Amino acid sequence: MAEPVDHDVVVVGGGPVGLMTACELALAGVRVAVVERRTDVDPTIKAIGLHIPSVEAFQRRGLLPALLDAQRRHARELLATLPRRADLGRVPMASGIAGHFAGITVPRALVDYADPDFGAAWSRDMMPVSQQALEAILADRAVALGAQLRQGAEMVKFTDDGDGVDVELDSGERWRCGWLVGADGGRSAVRRGAGFAFPGTDPEITGHQAVVEFADPEVLTPGWNRTENGIYVYTPLPGRILTVEMDGPPADRNTPVTHAELQDSVRRVSKTGVTITSVRSATRFTDHARQASTYVRGRVVLAGDAAHVHSPFGGQGLNLGLGDALNLGWKLAATVRGWAPDGLLDTYTRERHPVGAWVLDWTRAQIALMRLDPLTESLRRIVGDLVATPDGATHMAKKLSGVLQKYDLPGDHPLVGRSAPDPGGRLAEALRTGRAVLTGPRADAGAARADRLVHVESDAPMLVRPDGYVAWAGTAPGDTAGLEEALRRWLGDS
Ligand SMILES: Cc1cc2nc3c(=O)[nH]c(=O)nc-3n(C[C@H](O)[C@H](O)[C@H](O)COP(=O)(O)OP(=O)(O)OC[C@H]3O[C@@H](n4cnc5c(N)ncnc54)[C@H](O)[C@@H]3O)c2cc1C
């Protein structure tokens, strides 16, 4: 007989992805605990915005008001850091830009936002919000939904015996759980401990990102700058500086970034004698690009940076990880609760691995375009010309915003595999339950699975999975061809 478990699922890592996974599991009634070694907020600048699929996900869980609140706070904080009035004219205005690719900007005026791919999206733009604010929202929600959040505790060891997983914390405490989720970041101990293969490419850059005060900021040029020594991006709001040097990865990635290291890097790359008077936060990064070849091994599952690492260029990492959490949450919950159809959890790797592989490509290509040699300069001019066309700008904006994200699911209808359109917001309302949604005229089709499915009266028949993606769509009101098969495939037998 299987040993009783203390938790259905233990999530290692209370970063954004671990917390989002815990929210999804708790929403579905799963007993989940999160182990996070930090007790304080990590102040370093990381993600500064959410792309369209992430914003949609928050809306579908009723978290949009909290997000908008965080966005307003973010704007107020930025305003509070306004530099001297004389510097204002030097602040590059990002409003005319839909994003960038290796510093090649995508002009918003050229993007065709009437393109149908943008049509279904809740918003067309990235929503600026700090990773720290996001983590606070998710931590509050996870606890409110009943997840146990254990901060200041480190997972030091685990054993998967096939029936469950024994987890050991640094306090000596031992927990038994049914499943272990490694959301413990790029250097994941869960990934290593469970023996996941992690193939990819080696790093070639050393990057620094920091928020600092300069004694003489006027010697720096705001915006994205290339010099013969590297690249620096200076944003006077709020004193944010990023440097990239192309002569190999950092010699030491474990020690904290020192004032001297940061100042040397900024001076070298900017070719100025600029002086940093204080450092508010600083981090070092590189461009390792690696991805676990499967995201599930036995009873151990990976999500977020634990499953894939890459450079931060393109602002994709957090959004990629949140997508993992949304895709995984309901599938793992269905497995724990016992109604998962055969192979449901396997679709997690099948659907998310290609999205991760695309992000790795997207970031690798940017590193290639950031090299400093004359051949790369030539290539940059050509890519720049293409991006400065309406088709090029529209393509890049779609890629950057995530609206092209589509899962390869069975079914011919063009909506299948895509984020569900929701013009009136009624679908989002129904998805707050964390259950799948059947839209269309009232029918008996879904009634037998009422514990995992809700109905929304509509003329457009669709089966929408709990993560908001279309699993089946009919061609006319009342069309139910293929619906029963889709219900069985995604929601199991009635
Ligand atoms: C400089 C920089 C800029 C970035 N900019 C962007 C951006 O603009 N847009 C974007 O989308 N993404 C960006 N990212 C990427 C984004 O920050 C990450 O993808 C995101 O943090 C991944 O979340 P996660 O929850 O998977 O991992 P993490 O945020 O790394 O969280 C993992 C957590 O696990 C905890 N942990 C680890 N091991 C253990 C253990 N054994 N026991 C207990 N706890 C443990 C850690 O303390 C940590 O809190 C950036 C990253 C960097 C470094």
Side-chain angles (χ1 to χ4, degrees):
M1 210 172 75
E3 275 179 66
V5 296
D6 304 300
H7 307 280
D8 295 323
V9 180
V10 169
V11 178
V12 183
V17 176
L19 291 169
M20 180 59 112
T21 306
C23 288
E24 291 296 291
L25 290 166
L27 180 64
V30 168
R31 291 172 304 156
V32 56
V34 181
V35 186
E36 168 54 56
R37 73 155 75 101
R38 281 185 290 116
T39 47
D40 301 326
V41 174
D42 177 356
T44 53
I45 287 201
K46 290 187 186 167
I48 49 167
L50 290 183
H51 295 314
I52 288 169
S54 305
V55 177
E56 281 178 340
F58 273 72
Q59 187 198 17
R60 288 166 177 164
R61 295 299 185 251
L63 291 172
L64 200 53
L67 211 55
L68 290 168
D69 223 43
Q71 187 188 14
R72 280 190 286 271
R73 269 201 315 277
H74 188 65
R76 273 200 302 273
E77 279 159 23
L78 283 184
L79 283 175
T81 64
L82 269 179
R84 291 166 303 211
R85 186 167 275 279
D87 285 339
L88 270 179
R90 295 170 13 95
V91 178
M93 288 297 147
S95 53
I97 295 169
H100 76 88
F101 190 73
I104 298 169
T105 50
V106 181
R108 192 186 294 280
L110 291 179
V111 176
D112 177 10
Y113 285 109
D115 186 292
D117 285 325
F118 284 109
W122 175 84
S123 116
R124 289 171 181 170
D125 282 313
M126 187 179 91
M127 181 181 276
V129 51
S130 73
Q131 185 162 328
Q132 289 82 359
L134 209 69
E135 286 179 25
I137 293 171
L138 292 173
D140 285 351
R141 175 170 166 86
V143 171
L145 287 168
Q148 188 185 130
L149 177 53
R150 179 71 71 88
Q151 288 169 315
E154 182 169 341
M155 186 286 300
V156 288
K157 198 174 159 201
F158 65 90
T159 316
D160 173 2
D161 62 22
D163 291 325
V165 186
D166 291 310
V167 180
E168 197 176 318
L169 308 188
D170 56 349
S171 59
E173 225 171 323
R174 285 162 202 269
W175 288 342
R176 182 153 178 91
C177 59
W179 294 83
L180 184 71
V181 175
D184 50 343
R187 301 181 196 187
S188 170
V190 173
R191 185 184 67 230
R192 288 167 215 252
F196 283 86
F198 200 48
T201 49
D202 291 332
E204 58 179 71
I205 68 162
T206 293
H208 289 97
Q209 178 156 257
V211 178
V212 302
E213 298 270 347
F214 289 109
D216 43 2
E218 58 284 351
V219 302
L220 297 175
T221 308
W224 185 287
N225 301 276
R226 286 166 69 78
T227 73
E228 66 208 36
N229 296 338
I231 292 160
Y232 77 95
V233 186
Y234 173 48
T235 326
L237 292 176
R240 180 173 164 210
I241 184 89
L242 180 146
T243 62
V244 177
E245 297 178 77
M246 311 296 289
D247 50 2
D252 178 357
R253 291 194 57 207
N254 297 315
T255 53
V257 179
T258 63
H259 179 282
E261 172 188 348
L262 190 61
Q263 176 151 295
D264 286 352
S265 176
V266 180
R267 283 184 174 176
R268 231 175 1 252
V269 174
S270 65
K271 299 177 73 183
T272 67
V274 72
T275 298
I276 294 175
T277 50
S278 69
V279 179
R280 242 201 286 162
S281 70
T283 182
R284 202 188 280 120
F285 62 88
T286 185
D287 60 325
H288 250 130
R290 299 190 172 273
Q291 185 180 21
S293 39
T294 176
Y295 290 5
V296 184
R297 205 169 142 79
R299 288 181 165 268
V300 182
V301 187
L302 300 179
D305 280 12
H308 32 68
V309 293
H310 52 81
S311 80
F313 296 104
Q316 299 286 341
L318 168 67
N319 293 278
L320 179 62
L322 292 175
D324 292 346
L326 262 291
N327 191 290
L328 171 64
W330 70 277
K331 294 174 182 174
L332 186 54
T335 308
V336 167
R337 295 185 65 90
W339 61 257
D342 271 357
L344 183 67
L345 196 55
D346 298 336
T347 67
Y348 169 54
T349 301
R350 207 151 60 232
E351 293 172 15
R352 293 305 299 173
H353 193 278
V355 185
W358 171 76
V359 170
L360 260 65
D361 268 355
W362 190 254
T363 53
R364 279 189 188 114
Q366 292 188 72
I367 297 295
L369 264 183
M370 284 160 61
R371 289 180 184 144
L372 301 168
D373 57 284
L375 278 69
T376 305
E377 287 300 339
S378 304
L379 185 58
R380 286 180 71 84
R381 279 192 284 277
I382 290 167
V383 173
D385 282 350
L386 290 172
V387 173
T389 63
D391 282 353
T394 304
H395 175 77
M396 295 304 268
K398 284 200 238 173
K399 286 284 195 185
L400 284 163
S401 64
V403 291
L404 289 183
Q405 188 169 296
K406 179 179 188 296
Y407 297 136
D408 187 12
L409 307 185
D412 298 330
H413 195 288
L415 281 179
V416 169
R418 302 203 65 151
S419 179
D422 185 18
R426 285 167 62 222
L427 179 66
E429 193 73 30
L431 281 168
R432 281 183 190 200
T433 58
R435 296 183 195 172
V437 179
L438 185 59
T439 68
R442 185 154 288 285
D444 292 337
R449 297 174 182 86
D451 59 332
R452 58 203 93 143
L453 185 68
V454 289
H455 180 259
V456 168
E457 194 90 31
S458 150
D459 286 341
M462 275 190 306
L463 174 63
V464 181
R465 306 190 316 189
D467 58 0
Y469 282 76
V470 179
W472 168 90
T475 50
D479 177 13
T480 56
L483 174 59
E484 188 52 43
E485 189 188 342
L487 283 165
R488 219 173 289 126
R489 170 176 294 120
W490 296 109
L491 301 182
D493 291 327
S494 52

